[in-house]
Amino acid sequence: MKKYLAEFIGTAVLVTFGCGSAVAANTLLANAIQPVPLAFSTLLIAFAFGLSIVAMAYSIGNVSGCHINPAVSMGMLVAGKISGKDFIGYVVAQFLGGIAGAALLCVFFGSNASLGANGYGEASALGTSLGQALLVEIVLTFVFVLAILGVTSKVENSSVAGLVIGLTLTLIHILGIPFTGTSVNPARSFGPALLSGGLALSQVWVFIVAPLVGGALAALVYKFISSGDKTKETEKPKAKAKTKA
């Protein structure tokens, strides 16, 4: 139960600080007297999400692994790193955390009009089509989950894993924000969309399906490309034994 509570808290923090920073930055820049490049707000938002992951990784990572993302949990399930029971528990906790984070933002800003929801078409800075949105989210989530599986595969990486994962999420947001606002996380998208309603809620299925597909694909690819290394490791001792004989 403690690991589910940790996932709830972590996801709530991610939505509160990540989406909250997006709303605050866009509002401040829109009201700025001097024009500010859109790229500047993109960087602010990207680092807000990345730093939120870093903070939570070193806070709850030793309790739950700090997935705080159903797509990451999907990748871990496909990779055989968590059980089906834990997958369900994690995902439920993450979605509830996403809703709680969005609710807290409603209190902070006194409105549900803008909660950092994801979108495509008229809700996208680039007018991204449905097909483009699906492809972008699948690819970005694939890269994100692949990086997580790689950096967490060795115990010796534990001290830097949170930093690597946070910086990877920052990188992904820098590219993805103009297209869809960057989801790569169904729980992060669902909470704000549920409380905002309207267009955001009608489009949220894209940001649930695509990240889950991307996470599963990343796990399958990682299992394939890493299987050869394990084979070589098990073969080395045998070769040494033959030499001694």
Side-chain angles (χ1 to χ4, degrees):
M1 184 57 69
K2 289 182 179 179
K3 55 190 174 185
Y4 302 147
L5 177 59
E7 287 294 306
F8 170 85
I9 293 172
T11 311
V13 168
L14 176 68
V15 171
T16 301
F17 284 83
C19 295
S21 295
V23 176
N26 288 331
T27 301
L28 288 173
L29 293 176
N31 296 331
I33 298 176
Q34 296 294 330
V36 180
L38 182 60
F40 182 68
S41 65
T42 298
L43 287 175
L44 288 177
I45 297 166
F47 273 102
F49 276 99
L51 292 174
S52 296
I53 287 289
V54 173
M56 288 300 97
Y58 291 106
S59 300
I60 64 171
N62 62 330
V63 178
S64 67
C66 190
H67 295 186
I68 60 177
N69 182 340
V72 174
S73 296
M74 172 63 81
M76 293 295 180
L77 176 68
V78 175
K81 296 182 180 293
I82 61 171
S83 66
K85 176 184 176 182
D86 274 345
F87 172 73
I88 295 173
Y90 273 42
V91 170
V92 170
Q94 291 155 0
F95 271 95
L96 291 176
I99 295 171
L104 192 56
L105 289 180
C106 288
V107 177
F108 282 179
F109 294 106
S111 170
N112 68 339
S114 178
L115 298 176
N118 300 110
Y120 59 89
E122 62 184 273
S124 163
L126 294 179
T128 307
S129 68
L130 171 58
Q132 288 174 318
L134 284 166
L135 180 61
V136 166
E137 288 294 329
I138 290 173
V139 172
L140 294 183
T141 309
F142 174 88
V143 173
F144 183 49
V145 175
L146 189 65
I148 292 173
L149 290 170
V151 76
T152 59
S153 64
K154 295 182 179 180
V155 178
E156 53 266 35
N157 291 338
S158 59
S159 61
V160 298
L163 185 60
V164 171
I165 294 169
L167 288 175
T168 302
L169 187 61
T170 300
L171 171 66
I172 285 168
H173 272 78
I174 291 173
L175 173 62
I177 286 173
F179 289 95
T180 62
T182 309
S183 169
V184 303
N185 185 336
R188 165 262 183 271
S189 297
F190 184 76
L194 179 66
L195 297 189
S196 293
L199 182 62
L201 187 57
S202 69
Q203 294 184 349
V204 74
W205 68 270
V206 171
F207 307 104
I208 294 176
V209 174
L212 291 176
V213 171
L217 286 174
L220 291 173
V221 170
Y222 182 77
K223 286 176 69 176
F224 176 74
I225 63 177
S226 64
S227 60
D229 293 335
K230 292 179 180 179
T231 303
K232 290 178 182 178
E233 288 176 3
T234 56
E235 287 177 351
K236 285 181 180 178
K238 293 180 180 179
K240 289 181 180 179
K242 289 181 178 179
T243 304
K244 289 180 180 180

mmCIF file of all heavy atoms in Angstrom, residues 222-240:
data_model
loop_
_atom_site.group_PDB
_atom_site.id
_atom_site.type_symbol
_atom_site.label_atom_id
_atom_site.label_comp_id
_atom_site.label_asym_id
_atom_site.label_seq_id
_atom_site.Cartn_x
_atom_site.Cartn_y
_atom_site.Cartn_z
ATOM 1 N N TYR A 222 13.621 -3.011 -25.886
ATOM 2 C CA TYR A 222 14.705 -3.113 -24.902
ATOM 3 C C TYR A 222 15.012 -4.574 -24.572
ATOM 4 O O TYR A 222 16.184 -4.955 -24.454
ATOM 5 C CB TYR A 222 14.345 -2.355 -23.624
ATOM 6 C CG TYR A 222 15.462 -2.415 -22.610
ATOM 7 C CD1 TYR A 222 16.589 -1.610 -22.756
ATOM 8 C CD2 TYR A 222 15.432 -3.312 -21.547
ATOM 9 C CE1 TYR A 222 17.648 -1.687 -21.865
ATOM 10 C CE2 TYR A 222 16.485 -3.395 -20.651
ATOM 11 C CZ TYR A 222 17.591 -2.583 -20.813
ATOM 12 O OH TYR A 222 18.640 -2.666 -19.933
ATOM 13 N N LYS A 223 13.966 -5.382 -24.438
ATOM 14 C CA LYS A 223 14.171 -6.806 -24.155
ATOM 15 C C LYS A 223 14.946 -7.464 -25.291
ATOM 16 O O LYS A 223 15.813 -8.309 -25.064
ATOM 17 C CB LYS A 223 12.828 -7.514 -23.964
ATOM 18 C CG LYS A 223 12.148 -7.208 -22.642
ATOM 19 C CD LYS A 223 10.780 -7.861 -22.541
ATOM 20 C CE LYS A 223 10.893 -9.366 -22.437
ATOM 21 N NZ LYS A 223 9.567 -10.002 -22.243
ATOM 22 N N PHE A 224 14.659 -7.059 -26.520
ATOM 23 C CA PHE A 224 15.328 -7.642 -27.685
ATOM 24 C C PHE A 224 16.801 -7.218 -27.752
ATOM 25 O O PHE A 224 17.692 -8.047 -27.928
ATOM 26 C CB PHE A 224 14.616 -7.229 -28.963
ATOM 27 C CG PHE A 224 15.294 -7.711 -30.221
ATOM 28 C CD1 PHE A 224 15.218 -9.035 -30.599
ATOM 29 C CD2 PHE A 224 16.031 -6.837 -31.010
ATOM 30 C CE1 PHE A 224 15.851 -9.497 -31.757
ATOM 31 C CE2 PHE A 224 16.672 -7.276 -32.159
ATOM 32 C CZ PHE A 224 16.580 -8.614 -32.524
ATOM 33 N N ILE A 225 17.072 -5.927 -27.592
ATOM 34 C CA ILE A 225 18.446 -5.445 -27.766
ATOM 35 C C ILE A 225 19.337 -5.771 -26.565
ATOM 36 O O ILE A 225 20.568 -5.789 -26.689
ATOM 37 C CB ILE A 225 18.494 -3.927 -28.045
ATOM 38 C CG1 ILE A 225 17.940 -3.136 -26.853
ATOM 39 C CG2 ILE A 225 17.755 -3.590 -29.321
ATOM 40 C CD1 ILE A 225 18.017 -1.618 -27.026
ATOM 41 N N SER A 226 18.740 -6.020 -25.416
ATOM 42 C CA SER A 226 19.547 -6.319 -24.230
ATOM 43 C C SER A 226 19.725 -7.811 -23.998
ATOM 44 O O SER A 226 20.569 -8.217 -23.198
ATOM 45 C CB SER A 226 18.921 -5.700 -22.979
ATOM 46 O OG SER A 226 17.648 -6.267 -22.717
ATOM 47 N N SER A 227 18.972 -8.647 -24.711
ATOM 48 C CA SER A 227 19.060 -10.095 -24.513
ATOM 49 C C SER A 227 20.419 -10.638 -24.925
ATOM 50 O O SER A 227 20.955 -11.553 -24.323
ATOM 51 C CB SER A 227 17.962 -10.814 -25.293
ATOM 52 O OG SER A 227 18.071 -10.557 -26.685
ATOM 53 N N GLY A 228 21.055 -10.062 -25.954
ATOM 54 C CA GLY A 228 22.366 -10.511 -26.410
ATOM 55 C C GLY A 228 23.442 -10.290 -25.365
ATOM 56 O O GLY A 228 24.323 -11.114 -25.161
ATOM 57 N N ASP A 229 23.346 -9.161 -24.642
ATOM 58 C CA ASP A 229 24.342 -8.857 -23.617
ATOM 59 C C ASP A 229 24.292 -9.873 -22.485
ATOM 60 O O ASP A 229 25.311 -10.290 -21.953
ATOM 61 C CB ASP A 229 24.098 -7.453 -23.043
ATOM 62 C CG ASP A 229 24.358 -6.380 -24.079
ATOM 63 O OD1 ASP A 229 25.133 -6.659 -25.004
ATOM 64 O OD2 ASP A 229 23.804 -5.284 -23.957
ATOM 65 N N LYS A 230 23.084 -10.267 -22.111
ATOM 66 C CA LYS A 230 22.943 -11.242 -21.040
ATOM 67 C C LYS A 230 23.527 -12.588 -21.444
ATOM 68 O O LYS A 230 24.133 -13.295 -20.657
ATOM 69 C CB LYS A 230 21.462 -11.403 -20.673
ATOM 70 C CG LYS A 230 20.875 -10.157 -20.025
ATOM 71 C CD LYS A 230 19.399 -10.353 -19.708
ATOM 72 C CE LYS A 230 18.820 -9.097 -19.053
ATOM 73 N NZ LYS A 230 17.371 -9.246 -18.764
ATOM 74 N N THR A 231 23.327 -12.922 -22.734
ATOM 75 C CA THR A 231 23.856 -14.191 -23.233
ATOM 76 C C THR A 231 25.372 -14.206 -23.180
ATOM 77 O O THR A 231 25.992 -15.181 -22.771
ATOM 78 C CB THR A 231 23.400 -14.426 -24.697
ATOM 79 O OG1 THR A 231 21.976 -14.384 -24.736
ATOM 80 C CG2 THR A 231 23.881 -15.763 -25.205
ATOM 81 N N LYS A 232 25.997 -13.089 -23.590
ATOM 82 C CA LYS A 232 27.459 -12.995 -23.575
ATOM 83 C C LYS A 232 28.005 -13.094 -22.158
ATOM 84 O O LYS A 232 29.024 -13.698 -21.901
ATOM 85 C CB LYS A 232 27.896 -11.672 -24.210
ATOM 86 C CG LYS A 232 27.661 -11.612 -25.712
ATOM 87 C CD LYS A 232 28.060 -10.257 -26.260
ATOM 88 C CE LYS A 232 27.787 -10.186 -27.765
ATOM 89 N NZ LYS A 232 28.118 -8.848 -28.304
ATOM 90 N N GLU A 233 27.272 -12.503 -21.195
ATOM 91 C CA GLU A 233 27.731 -12.518 -19.814
ATOM 92 C C GLU A 233 27.732 -13.927 -19.256
ATOM 93 O O GLU A 233 28.602 -14.317 -18.492
ATOM 94 C CB GLU A 233 26.834 -11.615 -18.958
ATOM 95 C CG GLU A 233 27.075 -10.130 -19.246
ATOM 96 C CD GLU A 233 26.124 -9.249 -18.465
ATOM 97 O OE1 GLU A 233 25.338 -9.809 -17.670
ATOM 98 O OE2 GLU A 233 26.163 -8.025 -18.629
ATOM 99 N N THR A 234 26.727 -14.709 -19.655
ATOM 100 C CA THR A 234 26.639 -16.077 -19.133
ATOM 101 C C THR A 234 27.621 -16.999 -19.829
ATOM 102 O O THR A 234 28.005 -18.025 -19.293
ATOM 103 C CB THR A 234 25.209 -16.624 -19.329
ATOM 104 O OG1 THR A 234 24.862 -16.531 -20.714
ATOM 105 C CG2 THR A 234 24.208 -15.833 -18.505
ATOM 106 N N GLU A 235 28.047 -16.595 -21.043
ATOM 107 C CA GLU A 235 28.981 -17.436 -21.784
ATOM 108 C C GLU A 235 30.424 -17.236 -21.328
ATOM 109 O O GLU A 235 31.246 -18.131 -21.411
ATOM 110 C CB GLU A 235 28.880 -17.124 -23.287
ATOM 111 C CG GLU A 235 27.596 -17.664 -23.917
ATOM 112 C CD GLU A 235 27.498 -17.260 -25.383
ATOM 113 O OE1 GLU A 235 28.329 -16.432 -25.811
ATOM 114 O OE2 GLU A 235 26.632 -17.788 -26.075
ATOM 115 N N LYS A 236 30.768 -16.063 -20.822
ATOM 116 C CA LYS A 236 32.142 -15.763 -20.427
ATOM 117 C C LYS A 236 32.698 -16.710 -19.373
ATOM 118 O O LYS A 236 33.808 -17.223 -19.522
ATOM 119 C CB LYS A 236 32.230 -14.312 -19.959
ATOM 120 C CG LYS A 236 32.192 -13.309 -21.090
ATOM 121 C CD LYS A 236 32.300 -11.899 -20.575
ATOM 122 C CE LYS A 236 32.251 -10.900 -21.719
ATOM 123 N NZ LYS A 236 32.312 -9.511 -21.258
ATOM 124 N N PRO A 237 31.974 -16.998 -18.269
ATOM 125 C CA PRO A 237 32.501 -17.907 -17.272
ATOM 126 C C PRO A 237 32.790 -19.301 -17.826
ATOM 127 O O PRO A 237 33.765 -19.942 -17.450
ATOM 128 C CB PRO A 237 31.401 -17.938 -16.217
ATOM 129 C CG PRO A 237 30.678 -16.646 -16.398
ATOM 130 C CD PRO A 237 30.717 -16.394 -17.874
ATOM 131 N N LYS A 238 31.948 -19.755 -18.765
ATOM 132 C CA LYS A 238 32.142 -21.063 -19.362
ATOM 133 C C LYS A 238 33.450 -21.098 -20.158
ATOM 134 O O LYS A 238 34.187 -22.064 -20.133
ATOM 135 C CB LYS A 238 30.966 -21.412 -20.290
ATOM 136 C CG LYS A 238 29.653 -21.606 -19.534
ATOM 137 C CD LYS A 238 28.539 -21.958 -20.497
ATOM 138 C CE LYS A 238 27.209 -22.148 -19.754
ATOM 139 N NZ LYS A 238 26.112 -22.475 -20.693
ATOM 140 N N ALA A 239 33.725 -20.020 -20.878
ATOM 141 C CA ALA A 239 34.945 -19.968 -21.687
ATOM 142 C C ALA A 239 36.178 -20.026 -20.798
ATOM 143 O O ALA A 239 37.149 -20.702 -21.088
ATOM 144 C CB ALA A 239 34.948 -18.673 -22.518
ATOM 145 N N LYS A 240 36.127 -19.332 -19.659
ATOM 146 C CA LYS A 240 37.246 -19.333 -18.736
ATOM 147 C C LYS A 240 37.461 -20.719 -18.140
ATOM 148 O O LYS A 240 38.565 -21.178 -17.957
ATOM 149 C CB LYS A 240 36.995 -18.308 -17.615
ATOM 150 C CG LYS A 240 37.085 -16.867 -18.070
ATOM 151 C CD LYS A 240 36.851 -15.932 -16.924
ATOM 152 C CE LYS A 240 36.951 -14.479 -17.381
ATOM 153 N NZ LYS A 240 36.704 -13.532 -16.265
#
